Amino acid sequence: MAAFVPYTYFQCPCSDSSTLAQSSGSNSPSSAHPDPDDGGIDDDSDRAFDPRAPRSNYSLYPLEYLLYCEDCHQIRCPRCVAEEIVTYYCPNCLFEVPSSNLKSEGNRCTRSCFQCPICIGPLAVTSIETKPDPNLLAAPDSASHSGPYALTCSYCNWTSTEVGIKFEKPNSIHAQLAKLRNGGTSRLTAKERKERRKDPAYTSQRAAAGSERESSDWQEDLDLETQFANLKLFYQSQLADPNSADHGLSSLGDLGFSSPSSLSRIMSIYTGGSLHDKKAKSRVGAMREALESDEGLQLADLDESAAISRLRQEGYDGTASTEQLLEQPPNLGEEHLHGRARFTAELRPIPYLLRTKRSKRCPVCRHIISKPEAKMQTTRFRIRLVAGSYIPSIAIRPLSLSGAGGSFSSSSTTTVPGAPLEPLKPAHFLLTFKNPIFETVKVTLGTPARTPGRFASKVTVLCPVFEIGANTDVWDEALKDSSGSDRDGRRRRGKGDEGGGGGSGGGGLTNQIEVGKIWERGRNWVSIVVEVMPASLHLREDEGDLPLREEEDVLEIPMFVRVEWEADVGGDEVGSAAHGRDSKEAREKRELAYWCVLGLGKIRRS
Amino acid sequence: MTSYCRPAILSPKVQQGESKQSFPHCIKQPCSFPKIPQGRLLKSQRKITMSSKRHSIVPPVSQSGPKPPVQFSSSITISDSALLTGTNLIAISSESVIHPRAKLDSLAGRINIGRRCVVHERSVVGAVGTSGRITEAAVTLGDYVTVEVGASIEAGDTVIGDGTTVGVGAKVGAGAVIGKHCTLTPHTEIAAGEVVPDFTVVYSNGLRRPDRRGIAELKNKGQIRQIDVLRRMIPSNPAKFD
Ligand SMILES: [Zn+2]
Ligand SMILES: [Zn+2]
Ligand SMILES: [Zn+2]
Ligand SMILES: [Zn+2]
């Protein structure tokens, strides 16, 4: 079993409908949250966050996944931001595709980028060398690579010659492939099809084929695209046909609809024709269906004996998996639906799906909170407001109290990181809050005394209110330290900063767990201790207890974090510029509050 | 290395983090691609993060154990830092190349290496497996066999057919019989005693498909060219092993 790694997840306010409704009503940060004066945690307990609720999985994110809107002063998650596409590009050749091309040519790379239909590895264009000629052996390098080309996968050794596809040129494979059907026969364009029909040899062959089957249902095999084009053409001609348009409901044409015939047809569909006399009904039915393959009719070929015999021959391994079929691009000169590829031997190369670069907008104020550089070759961002640079990160470390030093000496355990927690034995964890902003922040923590869920563990945050220093220049701190008396001076305990010099002599070893005291403090970070009493996972199955669910043995504590700080009144905000100039020194109280979940460890199963 | 058909177009490899292309995974098997962030995931859904630390899998090169009797063709190329050990005969036929730090172990039986084979660095031919069986012929490589870097072929009547490539880090179990012109893709594992028919590609955690390229001869030609280069690159010192 892999060792457990403690984790912290933050909740995005978008999952809480009440918060979102409030914050959308006003952009003021304080109104987006429960009133700070309401006494905080205790009053919140009725809506305490349950990390095990099924919905919670969708609102909890690691800090790295979260963004932050500077205008709303609120966390934004991938679920609630609005995304806009900046660029489309091919992941293989890295060419940007203009969105106009996208509309006409679809969302796949139209150059020569293909994936293997078997294993999705990238395909390379290779020349198919002719069989080695014994005369050429002397000078093997003189063989020119002019021959036909094929796509080959260097991983699974698939090659497009397996489906009978060869290319004449090594470039613009996409265009060449569109004209090729499996087996190498070229796909006819509509024009070529028409010309072929004029060919006397073809018509006689067609007649022969028709008589062979002793019926008139001989049809051309159309691929999907051609069939669709034929059908579309046919229906358009039907709609335009004046004979079918002129009937009982023609008076509706005066209503100003552009295509009265289509409207009346729709009307008759909904009314079922019962409103009209028989005559009108028969006239509505004047629009006929397609009857020939020229009109887009394709009879289903229900004879599957060929497929069955092939299945017998090739077995299960010869059939394409669902994933492989899903990867297959549609409409690429494919055969009719009924003859759709079902065997791996029929799969065609997959043109690469284009990828996108996206910018992200705040769902409430519509400001852009993340915008990548449009150019494909760079991975930089123009705007990227990540939550990690606004809200304190929380790191979790098990705290082992070595021997008699701890005031809770009875509870001292040798804590190995990732080791399971003993049920009903107090354990301590060090939470380190690191402040990313350039202001001193005041943090207030709130946890329910017992974790929600079937196995309620007791939780005590020993120091729920503390301040973290500003994220000032690292060198400021270093210089301050070296000029000071003690390098360890920054390792100050407790709230009183003056006590640092004396306390540092013993270092961290003699640190004692005291209620209301900070464990350790640094330039922009503070460590506090949380004590947990893990619940016993004892189940009474005879009393109908359900067995443990997945990850139910993980001790997770919900924690409400409120961060308060004072910031300069936003001078960069539009509209407040003039106002900001007057009161440049004015400070504004800011506040941010959110739930997060701390995964501390697994409780040992009894 | 073994590119016999020169790619007419070299597709540029994507290197930027965001647009990173997937490793040729198999789409026939369920595989866990990193999906779009879906918030917190259960343990079973979490992506396993690999340690970024690089470990060397090189066994310390030291001539330990007995010095085996050898039977070399005069045209072979063998680096003097290749590691030959064991008690049984190691026979290498003409024009084969043994890279530095390749290990041939004949403790569990005779090792036969055919003509124009290439045994790459850090590979082990004749690894004494779990069975510890001692047989007449521990490992037999046919002609034109390539054993790529870090691959391991266990001893015990194991046969690798002509023209077969044993991919990087692949493992062939004791007594397996690999047919001719097969390709074992990197990190493939062939169980002990398995029989792989001719022209099989083993890929993506053991899936198999026939190789229909029909380029065995071209491949051999490529091997000859490669050996040509290697002979000039690797200082050969067969005398060391006599
Ligand atoms: Zn959200
Ligand atoms: Zn491309
Ligand atoms: Zn492939
Ligand atoms: Zn906003």
Side-chain angles (χ1 to χ4, degrees):
Chain A
M1 196 180 70
F4 183 86
V5 182
Y7 54 83
T8 318
Y9 293 121
F10 292 79
Q11 194 202 25
C12 175
C14 69
S15 56
D16 189 346
S17 50
S18 61
T19 349
L20 195 66
Q22 276 179 36
S23 59
S24 61
S26 154
N27 277 352
S28 155
S30 57
S31 73
H33 290 287
D35 191 4
D37 303 323
D38 65 358
I41 301 98
D42 291 336
D43 290 358
D44 283 334
S45 60
D46 58 325
R47 44 179 288 262
F49 177 62
D50 179 6
R52 292 200 198 283
R55 279 179 66 89
S56 303
N57 273 344
Y58 297 96
S59 60
L60 289 170
Y61 292 88
L63 185 59
E64 297 78 26
Y65 285 42
L66 295 171
L67 297 166
Y68 184 86
C69 178
E70 275 196 326
D71 296 275
C72 307
H73 305 288
Q74 196 52 269
I75 299 169
R76 300 290 176 223
C77 74
R79 207 167 67 116
C80 60
V81 292
E83 292 191 343
E84 279 164 28
I85 289 162
V86 177
T87 346
Y88 294 88
Y89 66 93
C90 167
N92 193 52
C93 62
L94 294 184
F95 259 66
E96 280 173 39
V97 180
S99 54
S100 55
N101 281 23
L102 206 77
K103 275 167 195 148
S104 57
E105 283 161 6
N107 60 346
R108 288 176 185 268
C109 180
T110 53
R111 305 175 86 237
S112 297
C113 309
F114 286 90
Q115 278 178 294
C116 173
I118 304 292
C119 72
I120 73 167
L123 293 177
V125 183
T126 50
S127 71
I128 307 167
E129 289 177 58
T130 41
K131 283 273 175 204
D133 191 335
N135 304 329
L136 285 175
L137 255 181
D141 289 327
S142 65
S144 60
H145 295 279
S146 57
Y149 297 88
L151 290 167
T152 52
C153 173
S154 56
Y155 179 62
C156 73
N157 292 351
W158 181 86
T159 154
S160 63
T161 51
E162 282 183 32
V163 290
I165 290 176
K166 289 176 191 173
F167 306 99
E168 279 155 22
K169 296 177 290 172
N171 49 4
S172 62
I173 297 288
H174 191 272
Q176 292 183 65
L177 185 68
K179 291 185 198 131
L180 285 171
R181 296 174 95 169
N182 283 359
T185 51
S186 59
R187 206 160 67 90
L188 295 172
T189 58
K191 203 176 152 196
E192 285 167 334
R193 214 175 270 279
K194 240 172 229 167
E195 275 167 14
R196 189 176 66 167
R197 222 167 288 137
K198 285 178 200 151
D199 188 5
Y202 175 72
T203 32
S204 64
Q205 179 202 341
R206 182 177 172 171
S211 60
E212 249 172 52
R213 294 205 191 171
E214 294 173 14
S215 64
S216 59
D217 68 348
W218 187 89
Q219 58 176 353
E220 267 180 284
D221 276 334
L222 303 176
D223 52 58
L224 280 180
E225 271 181 330
T226 325
Q227 192 201 356
F228 180 74
N230 285 2
L231 264 180
K232 200 174 159 194
L233 206 71
F234 169 70
Y235 282 125
Q236 268 165 358
S237 69
Q238 285 283 297
L239 285 173
D241 192 351
N243 291 334
S244 62
D246 181 31
H247 59 74
L249 282 174
S250 57
S251 58
L252 273 174
D254 302 333
L255 288 173
F257 291 97
S258 57
S259 176
S261 58
S262 61
L263 179 72
S264 56
R265 197 162 292 114
I266 291 165
M267 289 294 286
S268 70
I269 287 166
Y270 285 117
T271 54
S274 59
L275 283 178
H276 319 294
D277 57 333
K278 284 252 165 69
K279 201 176 155 199
K281 202 176 168 186
S282 68
R283 276 168 134 182
V284 169
M287 182 170 165
R288 61 184 184 86
E289 287 299 329
L291 290 175
E292 286 180 65
S293 44
D294 288 348
E295 293 168 352
L297 176 76
Q298 281 281 282
L299 294 179
D301 184 12
L302 299 178
D303 178 21
E304 291 190 310
S305 55
I308 290 167
S309 67
R310 192 156 175 200
L311 191 61
R312 281 223 179 86
Q313 195 192 325
E314 296 191 18
Y316 177 70
D317 288 338
T319 57
S321 68
T322 318
E323 288 86 352
Q324 285 171 335
L325 288 178
L326 285 175
E327 291 279 349
Q328 283 290 299
N331 288 342
L332 246 181
E334 217 170 305
E335 278 170 43
H336 191 263
L337 208 59
H338 295 282
R340 194 142 190 173
R342 272 176 283 198
F343 296 94
T344 46
E346 293 164 352
L347 297 172
R348 292 167 68 88
I350 311 159
Y352 266 93
L353 268 176
L354 301 178
R355 308 293 148 101
T356 54
K357 278 188 160 189
R358 291 156 192 241
S359 65
K360 296 180 168 73
R361 275 183 197 279
C362 171
V364 178
C365 69
R366 310 296 298 166
H367 277 90
I368 287 181
I369 48 179
S370 168
K371 190 186 179 75
E373 199 87 55
K375 255 176 84 185
M376 199 28 254
Q377 277 73 19
T378 155
T379 50
R380 276 199 296 266
F381 281 78
R382 286 168 190 274
I383 303 166
R384 188 165 52 170
L385 309 176
V386 290
S389 42
Y390 295 90
I391 66 175
S393 63
I394 306 173
I396 304 166
R397 195 157 54 87
L399 180 66
S400 61
L401 299 170
S402 42
S407 56
F408 290 61
S409 55
S410 62
S411 68
S412 65
T413 44
T414 49
T415 328
V416 185
L421 303 168
E422 292 297 332
L424 306 175
K425 258 179 117 181
H428 296 91
F429 287 89
L430 212 53
L431 307 184
T432 305
F433 290 74
K434 203 167 181 183
N435 177 18
I437 65 170
F438 303 108
E439 311 287 344
T440 303
V441 296
K442 184 183 169 215
V443 178
T444 314
L445 303 176
T447 50
R450 294 173 148 269
T451 57
R454 279 204 292 171
F455 307 102
S457 305
K458 278 190 211 159
V459 184
T460 319
V461 179
L462 294 176
C463 180
V465 183
F466 52 89
E467 279 197 355
I468 317 178
N471 185 15
T472 46
D473 196 340
V474 184
W475 291 107
D476 286 356
E477 180 68 16
L479 293 169
K480 219 184 279 170
D481 265 8
S482 58
S483 62
S485 58
D486 191 352
R487 267 191 178 275
D488 274 352
R490 69 199 190 97
R491 182 170 281 190
R492 291 171 290 243
R493 276 199 56 238
K495 275 178 180 168
D497 287 353
E498 295 81 14
S504 66
L509 281 174
T510 55
N511 274 355
Q512 296 198 346
I513 294 175
E514 275 178 67
V515 177
K517 288 283 169 76
I518 283 167
W519 179 258
E520 218 174 314
R521 169 194 288 285
R523 177 177 60 96
N524 66 333
W525 56 269
V526 161
S527 291
I528 58 149
V529 178
V530 62
E531 186 183 78
V532 287
M533 173 87 89
S536 163
L537 296 181
H538 187 63
L539 289 169
R540 287 189 202 150
E541 270 163 41
D542 49 315
E543 286 179 23
D545 277 358
L546 294 166
L548 276 184
R549 284 183 291 253
E550 189 185 7
E551 303 216 331
E552 215 181 4
D553 55 343
V554 175
L555 175 55
E556 277 190 334
I557 55 174
M559 181 178 269
F560 191 70
V561 182
R562 175 174 296 142
V563 185
E564 290 161 279
W565 72 97
E566 283 196 339
D568 296 328
V569 174
D572 52 348
E573 276 169 30
V574 187
S576 67
H579 179 72
R581 211 171 295 274
D582 298 334
S583 53
K584 210 168 187 182
E585 297 302 304
R587 303 280 280 173
E588 188 182 66
K589 208 176 169 200
R590 294 258 171 85
E591 189 215 17
L592 184 63
Y594 47 88
W595 279 98
C596 55
V597 168
L598 312 177
L600 296 182
K602 278 197 170 170
I603 303 171
R604 189 186 294 284
R605 299 190 190 197
S606 43
Chain B
M1 285 192 315
T2 51
S3 59
Y4 24 84
C5 290
R6 192 182 304 153
I9 291 175
L10 291 170
S11 46
K13 281 278 148 58
V14 181
Q15 271 156 3
Q16 274 125 348
E18 194 185 77
S19 50
K20 203 163 187 175
Q21 208 22 50
S22 48
F23 183 75
H25 260 266
C26 173
I27 50 178
K28 198 154 185 176
Q29 286 205 331
C31 53
S32 54
F33 270 2
K35 295 254 166 61
I36 304 156
Q38 279 294 334
R40 184 177 66 155
L41 301 175
L42 290 175
K43 195 195 89 195
S44 54
Q45 298 165 303
R46 268 177 220 142
K47 197 177 66 170
I48 299 156
T49 46
M50 301 276 275
S51 149
S52 60
K53 228 177 184 179
R54 288 181 126 220
H55 295 283
S56 174
I57 53 162
V58 200
V61 179
S62 59
Q63 181 66 50
S64 59
K67 200 174 174 188
V70 293
Q71 185 190 315
F72 290 164
S73 156
S74 59
S75 56
I76 69 158
T77 307
I78 183 164
S79 160
D80 65 353
S81 54
L83 191 60
L84 272 61
T85 169
T87 48
N88 294 288
L89 184 72
I90 294 179
I92 304 176
S93 308
S94 51
E95 294 190 39
S96 283
V97 176
I98 313 294
H99 276 253
R101 300 217 270 189
K103 186 180 176 186
L104 310 179
D105 187 347
S106 68
L107 197 68
R110 192 185 147 116
I111 304 275
N112 292 314
I113 294 181
R115 288 173 297 142
R116 287 176 178 158
C117 292
V118 180
V119 179
H120 282 263
E121 286 192 19
R122 302 181 198 172
S123 56
V124 184
V125 177
V128 181
T130 43
S131 69
R133 225 154 32 105
I134 291 173
T135 52
E136 174 69 23
V139 176
T140 308
L141 305 188
D143 299 340
Y144 295 98
V145 171
T146 307
V147 180
E148 287 185 349
V149 175
S152 143
I153 300 167
E154 279 186 13
D157 284 330
T158 313
V159 180
I160 312 287
D162 293 355
T164 287
T165 303
V166 180
V168 174
K171 280 193 178 65
V172 179
V177 178
I178 315 290
K180 292 176 182 174
H181 306 290
C182 292
T183 307
L184 310 183
T185 59
H187 292 283
T188 295
E189 287 191 20
I190 303 290
E194 240 185 299
V195 177
V196 178
D198 294 356
F199 293 103
T200 304
V201 183
V202 185
Y203 67 106
S204 184
N205 299 327
L207 287 178
R208 284 152 198 231
R209 62 185 307 274
D211 185 342
R212 298 204 188 87
R213 294 175 301 171
I215 50 162
E217 281 175 57
L218 283 171
K219 229 175 134 179
N220 290 352
K221 252 171 72 184
Q223 184 94 326
I224 296 169
R225 271 184 249 164
Q226 193 192 358
I227 288 171
D228 241 28
V229 176
L230 290 175
R231 288 173 104 158
R232 274 174 265 149
M233 310 275 287
I234 301 172
S236 182
N237 185 10
K240 186 197 162 190
F241 303 97
D242 286 339

